[in-house]
Amino acid sequence: KLPLESIQVVLEELRKNGNLEWLDKNKTSFLIMWRRPEEWGKLIYQWVSKNGFTNSVFTLYELVSGDDTENEEFHGLDETMLLRALQALQQEHKAEIITLDDGRGVKFF
């Protein structure tokens, strides 16, 4: 058991490192991330590059649940975190999130 002040110090350090995001203004609920979205994006893009999938389109489902990614660390990643990772790649001009008839997808560059 830690005193409240110590818990707040730990949480603030996690936030500074990008591994914690406050979900409310009162700082009563938060999301702790094993990896930052940028780190997930890097892993995904390494897989894309390694397998020659640049200039390819994937559904979000294919990325996190498809047979091709079964042995990858991002397989089974929560969709919210996946979108954050893809947004990070989009900012780097390595991907573009697109809307498909049956949901969302991503094109890698």
Side-chain angles (χ1 to χ4, degrees):
K1 294 184 177 182
L2 287 175
L4 182 58
E5 290 175 6
S6 298
I7 293 171
Q8 289 172 335
V9 168
V10 170
L11 294 178
E12 180 57 22
E13 195 62 31
L14 287 169
R15 188 200 61 77
K16 285 180 186 175
N17 291 330
N19 295 98
L20 181 140
E21 182 178 304
W22 291 107
L23 298 175
D24 63 349
K25 291 180 183 180
N26 297 327
K27 297 183 178 182
T28 58
S29 67
F30 51 87
L31 172 67
I32 293 183
M33 299 173 271
W34 175 253
R35 288 193 169 101
R36 291 175 286 143
E38 298 80 13
E39 293 170 325
W40 284 117
K42 183 177 178 180
L43 286 173
I44 292 167
Y45 198 76
Q46 286 173 348
W47 174 80
V48 167
S49 298
K50 178 178 70 176
N51 290 289
F53 292 138
T54 52
N55 295 314
S56 297
V57 175
F58 288 88
T59 65
L60 301 188
Y61 178 83
E62 286 175 309
L63 280 178
V64 295
S65 301
D67 293 339
D68 290 338
T69 63
E70 198 168 47
N71 295 321
E72 301 301 321
E73 291 183 65
F74 58 87
H75 187 83
L77 188 63
D78 176 73
E79 186 174 329
T80 302
M81 186 56 68
L82 174 64
L83 282 170
R84 290 177 184 198
L86 295 176
Q87 287 167 348
L89 288 175
Q90 191 167 265
Q91 289 177 343
E92 296 175 21
H93 306 288
K94 293 180 177 180
E96 180 181 354
I97 300 169
I98 57 176
T99 301
L100 304 169
D101 292 338
D102 57 349
R104 287 189 260 191
V106 60
K107 180 174 182 175
F108 293 101
F109 304 110

